[in-house]
Structures are given as structure tokens and as C-alpha cells.
């Protein structure tokens, strides 16, 4: 194989890549050494702003195959027939830590999936938990600030973490998930994924349904104890990345089975609790899981920066037959996710290969901007409507319209008959085995006992008491014992 020629960014051959040009053998470096200056300047700019959340991630390509007929619920073309396959890209991630953080930590995991459909890209942005900490996006920056590094100490502070949760009783359900046995997945392959939010499906007849997505791992759920996780981090801080990469390279392709819960839209208004509250699950007895298909990952990215770090997901990337619901957290994310990528990657980030449509073409009037690669021909106009056969609207809505009424203003979500911040957390606790409860109590007490303010501890204990009397009693006793040591 002939040796390739090293060149500058402009394509000129490089004569010497080992020694800088100097004024004489021992003299100072010359500013005319264009190759040196270009290398240093480029190196200084190699990093882009990391994600504020979900910074540490891994990704893979694969496909989604439909196994069951769901055309009665959605007209989405990529779900239109059994056996249909759609190329996908997935990004797994931790939430709170920075890009250099470890994988095996107690933290929710991002589960962001891009379907390259022939009607455009569909992004499903979820987590490995079916619920979340808060229900209104106006609190999201505050929540994340409380979980990230303190501006004074430069580290994550138990006082901040638990103080926020003390003022967010709706977080009790997710805290119970996070501190339980599934709080530290053994790998990305051995955890479930959830859309978490409520979405809308619309069928060809225009009938609307609300759905929740459940990706069940076919490898089985495996998790780590706090002690096992600490040992894993010490051995390999990139343990989840290592596992995913090596499994796919060996041909051991991980897979998940997608199920959905389906609620006819007309039932939402009178459901016993708010079905759009992301801090709650829909009981399977009310809306059983219905199988849709399987997700298989079979190819690693060739370049982590180009494909994993630059992958951009936004829950407002819908396709016909799928749309949003009144879920307030989802509504906030419809803006925030896309805006985050415009900041990190620029206005033309959708033209990057990992983000660009693969089964169709983007055809619109967006032009110019940093890193633009799509210009159109000399006959194309950059305005609409026009008389030059430019792309035109279809007039067909992606999903069914949502009815609205009432006065504008900063409203709390309307109460349903059994809305409650603690009941489902208590139900989750009561489902646990004795050993699971022991570990949950130890995990919560280990963090809560480090809080320095008694009133913050008392507010959090009140949440656990409200969820279940035994739950609260045991957490209180465990915290007291640790603080007395």
C-alpha cells in the first residue's frame, strides 16, 4: 500500500511534521511556519461546548423492525407494516456529570433514539426510568444546578441535591427509582429505555391516542450495587462504553423489544390522575403493554466525536402520525433540546452526517450560516411561496389537534381525582423485596445523612413518610444512626 501524503488544511503537502521552522538551528520559531500555526490554532479549537446535561455518552447504529400491526393507532409510515426496517442511531448517556465523568455511577441514563425514516428523522428522547424528578420545565435549570458542581466548592454537594428535592415533593417517585437497585445499570445493554413522556399517535382516520414507550432489554436487566460500582469505576471509568463497543465488535448485537401503552385521547380528561404528569406511570392494569417491534444495535460509530458527540436529538423532530401531548415537561423540551444543539453545534448542525436524513432529503428555504453545506442550484429561490417550483407545504398535519380553553397565565396543572406526589413512590417501595428495601434505605440514608441542615433532612423525611409509613420510618432511623456515628 502506497504511503499517503500528509497535507495542510488547504491540501498542500507537508515537508516536515517533526520540527518547527526556526531562525537558525537554535533560534526562535518563525511566524511564517504556516503548518505549525495551523496545527496549534486548530488544536485550540478542537473542543465544542459539552452538553450541559447528558454530556458523557456512547452511541451505536442499528435498525428498528416492526413485529406487530399498530396501524390502528398511528399512520407513521415507518410503523406501517410488519417486517419494515428503519435505520437508527442511539445515544446512551449519564445525566449529571461532565464529559470526563465515569460511567458506573448512580444517575439516570439517557436513551435517545433517532429513526432515519423516509418521512424525515424521528427523535425519541427518553431515559432508563419511566418517570422524572419534576413536572414543569420552568424548574429544570434549578434542578440541574442543584445536581451539578457547586459554584464555590466545585463538587456535587449533598446539601444542594437534597435541598432541591426537599422542595420538590413530586421527585419522591424518581428518587425511589434512582436510589433503588436499578439506579446503577451494569451496562447500557442491560437496562430498559422509556420515552418517559406521554406522546400522541394519530391513525389514518384521524383518531388520536396518547402513548408511552417502553423498550425492554432482551439481555435482561442487570444492575450494580454501590460497592460493585465503586470497584468498576476504579477498574475502568469507561466501563459502559467499553462494554457496548466490544459487544458489537464481537457480533453480540444488543436488542430491545418496544412496547407501548395506548390511551384513547378521550379518556385522558377523566383519568384518575393527570396522564401527562411525567412524575407518574400509567398502571399496566389500566393500559397493558402492546408489542410494536424490536431495536437491534449492530454497528459502532467510526468516530466518537463526529457521530456520538455531534449527534443532535430533539423531541420536536416528529413524523406524520406522531406528535406531542400536553405534558408540560415535554413541551419545554420541544424548544430546549433543539436550542441546545444550535448553541453547541451551530444552526446547520442538522446537515452533519449523523443528523441528516438518510432515507429522504431535507428540502426547505433555510440558507447560509456557519458551516452551511446545502445551497441548492442557481435556479432555487430562498423564499416561499414562489413561482419556481420550490418545495411547498402539504396541508396535512402531523398529528391531531389538541383542544385548549381558558385564560392565559401561570397555571398549576389541573387536578385529577387522585393526583398525588407520593402514592406511586409508596407503591414502588411496597413492590420491592426485603433485600431491595434494605439497599434502597442504605442508599438514601448514605446521601441524606451528609446534609448539614436539619430542616432539609426533615422535609425529605416527610416525603418518605407520606409515601409509606414503613419507608419513612426506616429512612429516618437509618439517617439518625449514620449521623450519630
Amino acid at each position: 500500500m502506497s504511503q499517503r501524503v500528509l497535507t495542510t488544511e488547504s491540501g498542500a503537502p507537508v515537508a516536515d511534521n517533526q520540527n518547527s521552522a526556526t531562525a537558525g538551528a537554535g533560534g526562535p520559531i518563525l511566524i511564517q511556519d504556516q503548518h505549525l500555526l495551523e496545527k496549534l490554532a486548530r488544536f485550540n479549537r478542537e473542543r465544542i461546548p459539552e452538553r450541559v446535561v447528558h454530556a458523557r455518552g456512547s452511541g451505536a447504529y442499528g435498525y428498528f423492525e416492526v413485529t406487530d400491526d399498530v396501524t390502528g393507532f398511528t399512520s407513521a409510515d415507518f410503523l406501517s407494516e410488519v417486517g419494515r426496517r428503519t435505520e437508527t442511531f442511539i445515544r446512551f448517556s449519564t445525566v449529571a456529570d461532565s464529559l470526563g465523568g465515569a460511567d458506573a455511577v448512580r444517575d439516570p441514563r439517557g436513551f435517545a433514539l433517532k429513526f432515519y425514516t423516509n418521512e424525515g428523522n424521528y427523535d425519541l428522547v427518553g431515559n432508563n426510568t419511566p418517570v422524572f424528578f419534576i413536572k414543569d420545565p420552568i424548574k429544570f435549570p434549578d434542578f440541574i444546578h442543584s445536581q451539578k458542581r457547586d459554584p464555590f466548592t466545585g463538587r456535587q454537594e449533598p446539601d444542594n441535591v437534597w435541598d432541591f428535592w426537599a422542595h420538590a415533593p413530586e421527585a419522591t417517585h424518581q428518587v425511589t427509582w434512582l436510589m433503588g437497585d436499578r439506579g446503577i445499570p451494569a451496562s447500557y445493554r442491560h437496562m430498559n429505555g422509556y420515552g418517559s413522556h406521554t406522546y400522541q399517535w394519530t391513525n389514518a382516520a384521524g383518531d388520536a391516542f396518547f402513548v408511552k414507550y417502553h423498550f425492554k432489554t432482551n439481555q435482561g436487566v442487570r444492575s450494580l450495587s454501590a460497592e460493585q460500582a465503586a470497584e468498576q469505576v476504579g477498574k475502568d471509568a469507561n466501563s459502559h462504553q467499553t462494554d457496548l463497543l466490544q459487544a458489537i465488535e464481537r457480533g453480540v448485537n444488543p436488542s430491545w423489544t418496544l412496547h407501548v401503552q395506548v390511551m384513547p385521547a378521550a379518556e385522558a380528561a377523566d383519568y384518575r390522575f393527570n396522564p401527562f404528569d411525567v412524575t407518574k406511570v400509567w398502571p399496566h392494569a389500566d393500559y397493558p403493554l402492546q408489542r410494536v417491534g424490536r431495536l437491534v444495535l449492530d454497528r459502532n460509530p467510526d468516530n466518537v466525536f463526529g457521530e456520538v458527540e455531534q449527534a443532535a436529538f430533539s423531541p420536536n423532530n416528529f413524523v406524520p402520525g406522531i406528535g406531542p401531548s400536553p405534558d408540560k415537561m415535554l413541551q419545554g423540551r420541544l424548544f430546549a433540546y433543539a436550542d441546545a444543539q444550535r448553541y453547541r453545534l451551530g444552526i446547520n448542525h442538522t446537515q452533519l452526517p449523523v443528523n441528516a436524513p438518510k432515507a429522504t432529503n431535507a428540502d426547505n428555504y433555510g440558507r447560509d450560516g456557519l458551516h452551511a453545506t446545502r445551497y441548492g442550484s442557481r435556479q432555487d429561490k430562498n423564499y416561499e411561496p414562489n413561482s419556481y417550483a420550490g418545495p411547498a407545504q402539504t396541508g396535512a398535519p402531523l398529528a391531531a389537534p389538541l383542544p385548549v380553553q381558558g385564560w392565559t397565565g401561570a397555571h398549576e396543572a389541573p387536578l385529577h381525582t387522585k393526583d398525588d406526589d407520593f402514592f406511586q413512590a409508596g407503591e414502588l417501595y411496597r413492590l420491592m423485596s426485603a433485600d431491595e428495601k434494605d439497599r434502597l434505605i442504605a442508599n438514601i440514608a448514605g446521601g441524606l445523612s451528609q446534609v448539614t441542615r436539619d430542616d432539609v433532612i426533615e422535609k425529605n423525611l416527610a416525603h418518605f413518610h407520606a409515601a409509606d409509613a414503613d419507608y419513612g420510618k426506616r429512612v429516618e432511623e437509618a439517617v439518625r444512626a449514620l449521623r450519630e456515628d
Side-chain angles (χ1 to χ4, degrees):
M1 181 182 294
S2 61
Q3 184 71 47
R4 292 156 55 193
V5 174
L6 177 66
T7 74
T8 65
E9 291 294 326
S10 62
V14 173
D16 191 335
N17 194 45
Q18 316 306 318
N19 304 286
S20 302
T22 60
I29 287 175
L30 298 173
I31 197 170
Q32 72 182 41
D33 189 343
Q34 183 262 350
H35 179 52
L36 169 66
L37 299 187
E38 182 178 81
K39 282 188 72 174
L40 294 179
R42 183 177 181 85
F43 180 75
N44 286 344
R45 293 161 176 80
E46 278 186 356
R47 296 296 176 263
I48 61 175
E50 71 172 42
R51 290 167 168 88
V52 179
V53 289
H54 298 280
R56 171 67 187 154
S58 303
Y61 291 95
Y63 63 87
F64 180 79
E65 181 178 15
V66 179
T67 58
D68 294 77
D69 183 8
V70 292
T71 55
F73 305 121
T74 178
S75 61
D77 185 71
F78 79 102
L79 299 174
S80 62
E81 57 182 311
V82 173
R84 182 77 168 269
R85 285 191 177 184
T86 300
E87 184 180 356
T88 61
F89 181 80
I90 194 167
R91 186 176 186 272
F92 304 106
S93 57
T94 54
V95 175
D97 213 342
S98 61
L99 187 59
D103 286 341
V105 294
R106 189 172 299 279
D107 199 15
R109 299 299 189 277
F111 194 98
L113 186 61
K114 188 181 296 291
F115 298 83
Y116 299 104
T117 89
N118 61 3
E119 296 181 301
N121 292 350
Y122 171 46
D123 289 355
L124 181 58
V125 180
N127 285 325
N128 72 324
T129 61
V131 293
F132 195 61
F133 296 94
I134 54 176
K135 62 181 74 173
D136 194 303
I138 203 167
K139 296 306 300 174
F140 188 74
D142 301 297
F143 165 62
I144 295 300
H145 286 167
S146 74
Q147 310 298 301
K148 300 284 276 187
R149 297 176 185 270
D150 182 87
F152 171 65
T153 66
R155 63 181 189 179
Q156 190 181 53
E157 290 292 345
D159 276 358
N160 301 354
V161 171
W162 289 95
D163 185 39
F164 182 89
W165 288 342
H167 292 88
E170 69 271 24
T172 308
H173 193 185
Q174 173 74 318
V175 171
T176 304
W177 268 90
L178 180 62
M179 297 298 173
D181 277 2
R182 296 192 181 188
I184 312 177
S187 79
Y188 290 132
R189 296 184 297 130
H190 294 92
M191 69 182 194
N192 293 335
Y194 302 89
S196 301
H197 297 293
T198 301
Y199 294 89
Q200 187 203 88
W201 277 7
T202 309
N203 65 18
D207 302 317
F209 304 86
F210 292 118
V211 299
K212 282 186 176 289
Y213 293 90
H214 300 248
F215 289 85
K216 299 291 187 179
T217 176
N218 294 324
Q219 291 70 240
V221 172
R222 286 179 49 205
S223 304
L224 302 175
S225 68
E227 294 75 21
Q228 290 171 324
E231 182 179 353
Q232 185 68 268
V233 169
K235 290 179 178 178
D236 180 8
N238 305 304
S239 56
H240 288 30
Q241 164 70 10
T242 301
D243 175 85
L244 182 66
L245 175 74
Q246 293 181 349
I248 295 176
E249 288 296 293
R250 295 196 311 269
V252 181
N253 297 330
S255 66
W256 288 258
T257 300
L258 171 62
H259 300 81
V260 292
Q261 291 178 283
V262 181
M263 174 189 290
E267 297 180 11
D270 296 323
Y271 193 52
R272 64 182 181 276
F273 59 82
N274 182 359
F276 310 118
D277 180 351
V278 73
T279 69
K280 295 180 174 62
V281 298
W282 298 354
H284 292 184
D286 294 349
Y287 299 101
L289 296 180
Q290 303 190 46
R291 194 175 65 176
V292 179
R294 67 186 184 118
L295 170 69
V296 179
L297 304 182
D298 60 5
R299 180 165 66 91
N300 284 310
D302 293 326
N303 185 279
V304 172
F305 175 80
E307 296 161 274
V308 180
E309 184 63 14
Q310 292 195 125
F313 299 86
S314 176
N316 64 12
N317 287 340
F318 292 113
V319 292
I322 304 177
S325 78
D327 179 334
K328 292 180 78 172
M329 279 299 298
L330 172 60
Q331 293 281 322
R333 284 173 165 153
L334 296 180
F335 162 76
Y337 273 63
D339 189 59
Q341 305 307 336
R342 295 183 192 107
Y343 164 68
R344 293 182 62 246
L345 303 171
I347 193 61
N348 289 306
H349 68 274
T350 54
Q351 297 176 29
L352 295 168
V354 70
N355 300 321
K358 296 183 182 294
T360 186
N361 294 312
D363 194 3
N364 56 52
Y365 297 94
R367 293 290 186 273
D368 306 338
L370 193 64
H371 303 317
T373 61
R374 188 176 70 238
Y375 303 105
S377 69
R378 66 175 65 181
Q379 290 83 18
D380 285 342
K381 303 301 179 183
N382 63 346
Y383 59 88
E384 196 279 335
N386 63 60
S387 304
Y388 294 85
Q393 65 192 42
T394 66
L398 270 63
L402 297 171
V404 295
Q405 61 180 2
W407 298 94
T408 61
H411 302 289
E412 292 186 5
L415 288 177
H416 291 232
T417 55
K418 293 191 176 179
D419 271 330
D420 178 275
D421 288 330
F422 308 109
F423 179 71
Q424 290 197 352
E427 283 192 322
L428 179 59
Y429 174 79
R430 290 185 287 274
L431 283 172
M432 294 179 180
S433 67
D435 287 345
E436 288 175 316
K437 289 177 180 177
D438 289 344
R439 291 188 289 270
L440 170 68
I441 301 303
N443 290 333
I444 293 174
L448 189 54
S449 63
Q450 298 178 54
V451 174
T452 59
R453 289 185 50 157
D454 291 343
D455 60 325
V456 172
I457 293 176
E458 292 302 320
K459 286 177 181 176
N460 278 284
L461 291 175
H463 296 168
F464 300 121
H465 280 291
D468 182 273
D470 180 67
Y471 189 7
K473 178 174 178 290
R474 293 189 60 186
V475 172
E476 184 171 0
E477 291 173 347
V479 169
R480 183 186 305 116
L482 289 172
R483 297 190 84 201
E484 289 174 351
D485 283 349

